[in-house]
Amino acid sequence: MKKTAFQKYRRLFSAALGLMLTAPPVSADEFPACLARLRAQAVQRGIAPATFDTHAARLQPDLSVLELLDTQPEFTTPVWDYLAALVDDERVDDGRAMLERWRDVLQKVEKRYGVDPATVVAVWGVESNYGRSLGKRPLLISLGTLACMGRRQNYFRGEFLDLLKIIDEGHIPPERLTGSWAGAFGQTQFMPSTFLRLAADFDGDGRRDLVDNAADALASTANFLRRGGWKSGETWGFEVRLPAGFDTSLAGRRNKRPMSTWAARGVKLADGGPLPDGGPDRALVLPAGAKGPAFLTGKNFDVIYGYNAAESYALAIAHLSDRLRGGGAFRTPWPTDDPGLSRAGRRELQRLLIARGHDIGEADGMIGAKSRRAIAQEQEALGRKADGRASSWILETLRKAEEGK
Ligand code: CA
């Protein structure tokens, strides 16, 4: 979905923060010449000249994507805020309805790719809210702009040419190709290069349509996970409980050890029971440090991580898949006295902010810059740290103020 792709790229690019300051100047005047060079490269790749001339030759750059490319995260979002919105009751209920609705397709997908329905549907739910949030920016314009301007032209040139290939092969009508500013699109939020490598034509109509065909999208997600090394029948991991004074230097997603090692160190199942004997090696993942929920993860957690390189997102997908199978919330609470908000809570908070005169657009549950500014103003007026965080405390405080009117 928009947010995940956005976050994904912000993360990727924040590593290049130093480079940003020395980025070459860009000029819209050079854009037509750049497009002409891209046309030659497209033709070299076997894309029909007519495809380029029809869909790309007259593109105008969208400079706003360059701003997004260079936006530094204003603050880091705590993992419990991500989880609260990505795995809320609404998404669990919607996901269970989708499991039911797409049961036949999901069974066939599992047979062909070896990935279970709950995992596939959980990825779908986190990436695009089950196909409802695909991103609205025209991909040709965004990727064309990024291919000719800004700091990562080489990378985006490849994605732009791959996008033209997708159009040239007739998989998806060009007007349906919208997505995140950075080029992730469709119900799977694949980049064009990922599409060409891994998208599947599940219904056999000759087109790999990840925008309007849910069966193609579900199969493509499963194909992505299978190609990443998914182990059929194995769990991604499970919550555990650490003994007091546990040496957290053993933690880390790559630091896999035999179950017996963890048992010997006093690690227990979340309900206090003993760890199972044997099985594959597992890593200890502590998303919020030693005082928050702890997890023993395996290969499949890494495969999910490969879909969206952030532990918080991998955990959201993994946890949502457990909830879809009937599992409950984590046993150990997050180490905060001010929990994050579900999307319903975020919408209510936004409605309260609007009622108090803040101009934040509509109450869509997406906490953007305007919502954060409004929250920060309210926090400041209340004598709290003005971090702009959409949290339970500010929601309850504004709710009481509204009731007291
Ligand atoms: Ca198809």
Side-chain angles (χ1 to χ4, degrees):
M1 57 189 266
K2 266 185 308 200
K3 274 240 154 137
T4 59
F6 183 62
Q7 206 58 43
K8 184 157 40 177
Y9 284 91
R10 279 219 304 218
R11 196 178 314 277
L12 203 70
F13 297 138
S14 64
L17 226 57
L19 282 176
M20 247 168 56
L21 303 171
T22 56
V26 293
S27 159
D29 298 344
E30 294 159 16
F31 197 70
C34 176
L35 280 183
R37 287 194 299 276
L38 287 172
R39 184 182 190 277
Q41 289 178 28
V43 173
Q44 264 176 14
R45 288 195 184 197
I47 294 162
T51 297
F52 191 96
D53 294 341
T54 305
H55 301 293
R58 285 175 300 279
L59 287 179
Q60 296 293 321
D62 173 4
L63 302 183
S64 71
V65 299
L66 297 173
E67 286 165 30
L68 290 164
L69 180 66
D70 286 342
T71 299
Q72 296 180 38
E74 306 139 57
F75 69 108
T76 48
T77 305
V79 59
W80 46 87
D81 281 356
Y82 281 126
L83 269 288
L86 285 175
V87 193
D88 57 13
D89 290 342
E90 208 176 332
R91 210 178 306 264
V92 173
D93 290 346
D94 287 348
R96 288 186 181 149
M98 290 299 178
L99 278 172
E100 195 56 38
R101 182 170 158 199
W102 294 97
R103 185 175 15 195
D104 290 349
V105 166
L106 288 162
Q107 278 174 357
K108 289 178 188 147
V109 164
E110 181 171 24
K111 219 170 163 193
R112 189 180 300 179
Y113 299 100
V115 185
D116 63 284
T119 299
V120 172
V121 169
V123 173
W124 194 25
V126 168
E127 286 296 323
S128 68
N129 196 21
Y130 310 108
R132 292 181 196 127
S133 304
L134 305 184
K136 295 196 178 93
R137 286 175 178 268
L139 288 186
L140 279 163
I141 295 177
S142 299
L143 287 175
T145 305
L146 293 164
C148 288
M149 298 172 161
R151 297 178 288 111
R152 296 207 65 208
Q153 295 174 27
N154 270 337
Y155 168 72
F156 284 113
R157 202 174 299 140
E159 295 297 338
F160 180 69
L161 294 170
D162 285 346
L163 179 66
L164 286 168
K165 187 88 185 157
I166 293 167
I167 294 170
D168 196 44
E169 289 180 358
H171 295 294
I172 301 167
E175 69 274 11
R176 300 292 296 146
L177 285 168
T178 63
S180 76
W181 67 267
F185 71 99
Q187 304 194 27
T188 57
Q189 292 290 290
F190 281 178
M191 292 297 290
S193 57
T194 310
F195 178 102
L196 289 179
R197 272 191 306 121
L198 298 170
D201 170 23
F202 191 74
D203 65 353
D205 68 350
R207 294 168 52 224
R208 301 187 268 166
D209 183 355
L210 303 192
V211 174
D212 291 312
N213 188 318
D216 281 5
L218 295 171
S220 299
T221 293
N223 190 37
F224 185 107
L225 297 172
R226 182 182 69 106
R227 294 276 287 274
W230 186 263
K231 294 199 179 301
S232 299
E234 205 178 277
T235 171
W236 63 269
F238 45 87
E239 192 186 352
V240 293
R241 188 192 289 179
L242 304 181
F246 184 83
D247 173 12
T248 56
S249 69
L250 296 171
R253 188 173 59 83
R254 293 168 193 278
N255 196 4
K256 291 196 178 61
R257 289 161 190 273
M259 200 74 88
S260 55
T261 303
W262 299 116
R265 298 262 176 178
V267 178
K268 301 260 201 269
L269 291 177
D271 65 7
L275 291 181
D277 280 334
D281 287 3
R282 296 210 172 256
L284 178 67
V285 169
L286 304 174
K291 291 205 156 57
F295 306 92
L296 282 183
T297 67
K299 170 69 180 171
N300 286 347
F301 186 79
D302 299 340
V303 175
I304 299 172
Y305 179 92
Y307 203 105
N308 195 343
E311 263 179 24
S312 49
Y313 280 106
L315 185 63
I317 288 167
H319 184 45
L320 179 58
S321 75
D322 281 350
R323 295 285 312 269
L324 294 178
R325 296 181 192 102
F330 299 137
R331 293 241 179 181
T332 301
W334 295 108
T336 175
D337 57 5
D338 187 9
L341 293 177
S342 67
R343 286 170 296 164
R346 290 173 183 212
R347 288 193 294 268
E348 186 188 349
L349 174 59
Q350 287 175 318
R351 283 194 294 272
L352 289 164
L353 291 167
I354 291 167
R356 295 170 74 82
H358 294 282
D359 175 21
I360 59 166
E362 57 176 320
D364 59 2
M366 310 280 273
I367 302 296
K370 285 181 181 171
S371 293
R372 273 191 213 109
R373 259 198 303 278
I375 294 165
Q377 282 173 20
E378 295 290 347
Q379 288 169 322
E380 197 170 2
L382 290 158
R384 297 277 284 219
K385 189 178 154 204
D387 59 6
R389 195 181 147 237
S391 73
S392 298
W393 181 84
I394 191 71
L395 172 60
E396 279 157 26
T397 304
L398 296 188
R399 199 190 271 157
K400 274 182 209 139
E402 180 69 19
E403 285 161 2
K405 266 186 191 167

